[in-house]
Amino acid sequence: MGHKPTIWRLIPQLRAPGWVQMGVDEWLLDRHRQGSHPPALRFYTWSRPTISLGYHQRRYPAFWHELQWQGQPVSLVRRPTGGRAVLHGGDLTYSIVTSGMSGTRSQVYRKLCEFLILGWRRLGIPLHFGDRDRGEYARRHSCFATATGADLVTSDGTKLIGSAQLRRGKAVLQHGSMQLSPHRELFDRVFGSVPDSISHSWQRGVEPAEIDAIVATLMQAARECYNVKFVVRSLSEREWQEIYSKIEVLKSQFSSLEIRNS
């Protein structure tokens, strides 16, 4: 007889601005670290094109602050996790908050990627970890310009998923972008080129029903990989109040940073 499944909270898909998404992820990590929230999984999309900077990324082009796309400013936010900049829009993001996982940071990272590999294989796209040098990755502004051992790539080496991780005590946050139908023209405008990882992606838009099918497949994969039972629960009004307080802190920290634009 197998072990009893662990209870994880599944937060329904959320489409929202970048600061809201980052605030929710930070809030979940803090609450879980304090022992007042169970492990959680969620999937989300971005309500407008957004560039998320890695937490330690201090250099980026000054013109990113002035970017416009289809009459709207392109948002700029900072992730709580590391890595390089990611252009969101046409992607699906996953986020896991959990704890008690043994092993090195790399081993935990690979463990938390297992459900992505299993789920996408069932969706007809086998994935494996990249093999590019971390030094090459660090020299690029864009997360999707190269694929390291922390990324998931297709059989032809095309990067589909870029993820990042943050540990606080025994708690870990891992989230990542799955590039479904990225804005090629905007990607070129932001980074000055369109890498293979973007050129390869679906040429047409992904319909909401297709995203729902992807999420359902990945959820089932997570159940099997981590022996969990999901309890679906939306964020409450009280939780949103706490999250909005967190967002104000994140925005204040971001505006106070000394950024060296390149």
Side-chain angles (χ1 to χ4, degrees):
M1 183 177 293
H3 296 293
K4 184 178 179 180
T6 304
I7 301 298
W8 283 24
R9 180 179 182 180
L10 178 73
I11 298 172
Q13 283 186 61
L14 178 66
R15 180 176 174 81
W19 281 118
V20 172
Q21 304 291 20
M22 296 302 95
V24 173
D25 282 353
E26 277 255 15
W27 176 83
L28 285 169
L29 179 61
D30 284 350
R31 289 287 303 274
H32 183 65
R33 180 178 60 85
Q34 294 164 11
S36 57
H37 196 284
L41 172 68
R42 73 187 193 99
F43 298 91
Y44 55 89
T45 55
W46 307 67
S47 57
R48 68 167 59 180
T50 301
I51 301 169
S52 71
L53 300 169
Y55 185 77
H56 300 289
Q57 187 173 0
R58 294 293 184 267
R59 289 186 178 274
Y60 62 87
F63 75 87
W64 284 4
H65 285 283
E66 313 299 329
L67 274 171
Q68 298 272 331
W69 176 252
Q70 297 178 345
Q72 288 190 84
V74 175
S75 300
L76 192 64
V77 303
R78 186 172 295 285
R79 299 190 305 274
T81 54
R84 312 305 291 169
V86 177
L87 176 61
H88 303 279
D91 62 331
L92 173 66
T93 304
Y94 79 91
S95 171
I96 290 179
V97 171
T98 188
S99 59
M101 303 189 73
S102 60
T104 64
R105 182 182 297 270
S106 176
Q107 289 169 334
V108 171
Y109 180 89
R110 286 177 173 256
K111 178 67 176 176
L112 291 178
C113 284
E114 284 181 3
F115 85 108
L116 298 170
I117 295 172
L118 175 60
W120 280 100
R121 185 170 73 232
R122 289 175 174 171
L123 290 165
I125 302 180
L127 298 175
H128 63 274
F129 291 98
D131 58 4
R132 296 294 179 87
D133 178 74
R134 290 292 299 182
E136 179 184 351
Y137 175 82
R139 291 190 292 272
R140 309 293 186 95
H141 286 308
S142 169
C143 169
F144 277 83
T146 188
T148 72
D151 302 309
L152 291 174
V153 301
T154 63
S155 56
D156 64 359
T158 297
K159 181 172 176 176
L160 178 68
I161 306 175
S163 301
Q165 188 185 104
L166 171 65
R167 284 189 177 189
R168 286 186 180 151
K170 295 181 179 179
V172 58
L173 160 68
Q174 184 167 304
H175 55 192
S177 171
M178 296 176 269
Q179 293 290 330
L180 303 184
S181 54
H183 305 305
R184 290 167 50 85
E185 181 185 339
L186 180 57
F187 203 100
D188 186 39
R189 192 181 303 175
V190 171
F191 297 114
S193 63
V194 182
D196 291 342
S197 58
I198 300 303
S199 300
H200 139 280
S201 299
W202 288 268
Q203 299 300 306
R204 57 185 176 80
V206 177
E207 298 296 326
E210 293 176 284
I211 292 179
D212 290 345
I214 292 169
V215 167
T217 302
L218 294 176
M219 281 174 52
Q220 181 57 34
R223 286 189 187 98
E224 297 174 26
C225 286
Y226 312 124
N227 188 31
V228 301
K229 177 182 178 181
F230 288 117
V231 173
V232 181
R233 193 167 84 249
S234 299
L235 294 163
S236 69
E237 183 177 343
R238 179 184 58 79
E239 289 173 332
W240 272 120
Q241 290 174 351
E242 295 178 5
I243 290 165
Y244 281 121
S245 295
K246 172 71 70 178
I247 291 168
E248 291 308 311
V249 172
L250 295 177
K251 286 183 175 179
S252 175
Q253 291 172 342
F254 182 58
S255 62
S256 67
L257 285 172
E258 181 182 352
I259 303 296
R260 295 171 293 170
N261 298 320
S262 57

